Amino acid sequence: MSAHCQLTGAKPGFGNSISHSHRRTSRRFDPNIHNKRYWLPSEGRNVRLTLSTKGIKTVDAIGIEAAVARIRARGVKV
């Protein structure tokens, strides 16, 4: 599973770990991703979404119907 949010589009960032001796090695900063299940009343079914914590807060603020509409507008199948 790729670590990206279906709603906000958050995806991993890349950078370097720097040791005490200042040697740099590659590393990856993953977003805080969770799989959440929501009831979608308009379709009478549950939907599973892969969301970051910011995406979960956005769903709480705007509602699941508006969130699913935004996800579908981005071209992601729900």
Side-chain angles (χ1 to χ4, degrees), residues 6 32 36 55:
Q6 290 179 311
N32 191 3
K36 289 279 289 179

Side-chain angles (χ1 to χ4, degrees), residues 1 12 22 44 47 58 61 68:
M1 178 185 91
H22 221 63
V47 290
T58 303
V68 167

Side-chain angles (χ1 to χ4, degrees), residues 12-58:
F14 295 89
N16 291 312
S17 290
I18 303 179
S19 69
H20 181 69
S21 64
H22 221 63
R23 289 179 61 104
R24 290 173 167 86
T25 54
S26 221
R27 65 159 292 181
R28 184 172 137 151
F29 297 91
D30 285 330
N32 191 3
I33 297 292
H34 298 277
N35 289 316
K36 289 279 289 179
R37 194 175 74 161
Y38 291 99
W39 174 251
L40 196 57
S42 64
E43 297 180 17
R45 69 182 182 104
N46 287 313
V47 290
R48 270 190 197 278
L49 300 176
T50 304
L51 299 171
S52 62
T53 49
K54 184 178 179 183
I56 292 170
K57 291 174 188 175
T58 303

